[in-house]
Amino acid sequence: MEEKMNLAPDAFEPVSKKDELDDEKIVAPSRTFVQDAWRRLKQNKASFIALWILAIIFVVAFTSPITASHPNESNPNYANLPPKIPGVNINGLNGTSVVAGKRVDAYKQNHVPSKVHYTLGTDYLGRSLAQRILRGTLVSLLIGLFATLIDLIVGVGYGIVSAWKGGITDIVMQRIIEVISSVPNIVIMVLFMLVLKGGMLPIILAIAFNGWTTMARLTRAQTLQLKSQEYVLAARTLGESTFKIAIKHLLPNLSSVIIIQTMFTIPSAIFFEAFLSYIGIGIQAPTASLGTLISDGQKNFQFLPYQMWYPAIVLSVIMIAFNILADGLRDAFDPRTARR
C-alpha cells in the first residue's frame, strides 16, 4: 500500500512577493575595489606582517633626528666597545669581549662610567652604532623614496603619453627608452659624482636616470589595453580632453600596477645605494647610510663582527619585507595571479 504523504496546507500555494524579496537579498556586504584588496592583503599573513614591520622601521627611522640626534659624536676612548644592554647577562649583549682567549669587561677596561652603555656597541671612532644605524636607515630610505618618486612621475607620464599617441611617436619614445636602459648605472653614477661633488642628490639622480624605464613600459602596456575600452571611447566621443581622461579613467585603473611596481622599485633603489656606498662611490663620510656602515664593519669583521652584522640585518629585513609586501599587493590587487 502506498503511504500517504503529510503535506502542509499551503505547500502548493504561490510564493508571496515578500518571500521573493527575502530570497534575493545579498548576504555579503558590498565593498569597493580598495576595500576588497585590503581584505585580501590582511588574509595574506606574511604580507600583513611585512607591512607592520616596514611601518615600524619607517616610524623609528623618521623619528631618528630626535632619538638619535648625535650620530657623528665621537669619543676615541670608547672605540670598538661591544653591545651592552643593562640587566642582560648574555655574551654579546653584556659588554664583554674575548681578549687573548679570555672574556673581559670591555667597559671596565676603558674606564667607561657605569651609567654609560651602548646598546649596539661603538665603531672605531667611539660613535654610537645604534644612532648611526638609525640615521643610516633614514638616509637609505630617503634615497629610495625620492628616487622612486622620480620613477613614478616620469615613468607613468611617459608611458601614458607613449601609448596614447601611438604610431611614430610611440616607436620613437620606445627607442629612447631602449637607449637609456643600455647605459650602465655605474657610469651614470660616476658622471653625476664628478659634476655634483657627492651627497645624496647624485645617487638619487643616478638611480632615477634609467630606473623609470620599467615603470614606463608597464604603464604603456596597460594603457594600450585601457584606451580601447568602452568608457574611454565614450569619454573621447563626449569631447573630454586627454588630460581629464588620463586623470579620471586611466590613472585609477593603472593604480594597482603603479603601486605594485613602486613596492619593487623602493628596495631596488635602497640596495643600489647600499652597493654604491659599500664600494666607496656613494654616501661619503661622516654621513651614515646602511652601505657605509656595512663597509666600515667589514674592515673589522674578523674581530668585531657586530659592527657589520647589525646594519646588514637591517638592510636584509627591509629588502625581504618590501618584496614580501609587493608579492602580497600583487595578489591583493589581481586575485588571478595569486598562488594557490
Side-chain angles (χ1 to χ4, degrees):
M1 291 180 65
E2 295 182 357
E3 295 183 0
K4 292 183 178 181
M5 298 179 64
N6 295 324
L7 299 175
D10 59 346
F12 295 102
E13 289 184 5
V15 178
S16 66
K17 201 168 195 181
K18 182 180 178 183
D19 292 334
E20 288 180 359
L21 292 174
D22 289 340
D23 291 340
E24 292 177 0
K25 284 183 180 177
I26 300 174
V27 178
S30 60
R31 296 188 182 93
T32 63
F33 174 72
V34 175
Q35 289 173 334
D36 199 39
W38 176 248
R39 179 184 60 83
R40 286 194 292 266
L41 180 64
K42 288 195 293 185
Q43 290 175 348
N44 188 330
K45 301 301 182 185
S47 297
F48 199 60
I49 292 172
L51 175 63
W52 278 106
I53 290 173
L54 288 174
I56 293 170
I57 290 174
F58 269 80
V59 170
V60 172
F62 280 89
T63 56
S64 63
I66 300 172
T67 59
S69 56
H70 301 94
N72 296 325
E73 184 178 336
S74 62
N75 188 339
N77 295 326
Y78 297 167
N80 296 324
L81 289 176
K84 182 178 181 180
I85 301 175
V88 177
N89 192 22
I90 301 174
N91 292 338
L93 297 175
N94 58 2
T96 61
S97 59
V98 178
V99 178
K102 295 181 180 180
R103 184 165 292 277
V104 297
D105 190 332
Y107 284 71
K108 287 184 178 179
Q109 279 193 337
N110 288 273
H111 307 290
V112 180
S114 58
K115 293 182 180 180
V116 176
H117 63 275
Y118 295 93
T119 307
L120 299 182
T122 61
D123 64 4
Y124 65 99
L125 292 177
R127 297 173 295 191
S128 171
L129 198 58
Q131 291 197 29
R132 289 183 63 75
I133 288 175
L134 289 176
R135 295 301 287 271
T137 303
L138 175 61
V139 170
S140 295
L141 288 176
L142 286 174
I143 290 173
L145 290 174
F146 279 115
T148 303
L149 181 62
I150 296 174
D151 290 356
L152 194 64
I153 295 171
V154 177
V156 172
Y158 194 96
I160 290 176
V161 171
S162 178
W164 189 261
K165 292 293 184 182
I168 298 298
T169 303
D170 183 35
I171 293 174
V172 172
M173 293 179 76
Q174 293 308 302
R175 298 297 80 78
I176 292 173
I177 285 180
E178 291 175 2
V179 171
I180 292 175
S181 300
S182 65
V183 181
N185 275 350
I186 298 295
V187 175
I188 299 169
M189 180 62 204
V190 172
L191 292 175
F192 276 123
M193 287 291 291
L194 291 174
V195 174
L196 300 175
K197 308 299 181 184
M200 291 174 56
L201 183 60
I203 300 177
I204 293 172
L205 294 178
I207 296 172
F209 183 82
N210 57 7
W212 60 269
T213 55
T214 302
M215 181 72 79
R217 284 170 172 162
L218 290 172
T219 305
R220 172 183 174 271
Q222 291 296 314
T223 305
L224 287 174
Q225 296 178 0
L226 294 173
K227 66 184 287 189
S228 60
Q229 297 295 319
E230 289 82 358
Y231 54 87
V232 176
L233 297 175
R236 298 179 70 176
T237 304
L238 292 172
E240 287 279 9
S241 66
T242 302
F243 180 77
K244 287 186 177 179
I245 292 174
I247 297 298
K248 288 183 179 180
H249 302 294
L250 296 181
L251 283 179
N253 289 283
L254 290 170
S255 59
S256 60
V257 174
I258 293 171
I259 292 171
I260 293 166
Q261 181 58 28
T262 300
M263 288 298 103
F264 282 111
T265 303
I266 293 174
S268 299
I270 292 173
F271 185 79
F272 185 65
E273 179 278 323
F275 167 71
L276 292 175
S277 299
Y278 180 79
I279 62 177
I281 62 173
I283 296 294
Q284 302 297 316
T287 305
S289 76
L290 293 177
T292 57
L293 292 172
I294 294 172
S295 178
D296 292 341
Q298 183 264 340
K299 298 171 185 176
N300 298 322
F301 181 72
Q302 185 175 357
F303 304 103
L304 304 165
Y306 66 89
Q307 292 185 359
M308 177 178 163
W309 275 121
Y310 292 133
I313 289 171
V314 172
L315 178 62
S316 300
V317 168
I318 292 173
M319 297 289 296
I320 294 170
F322 264 115
N323 281 280
I324 292 175
L325 178 59
D327 285 336
L329 287 172
R330 180 186 60 197
D331 297 343
F333 281 112
D334 189 0
R336 294 172 298 177
T337 65
R339 293 182 292 273
R340 299 184 183 278

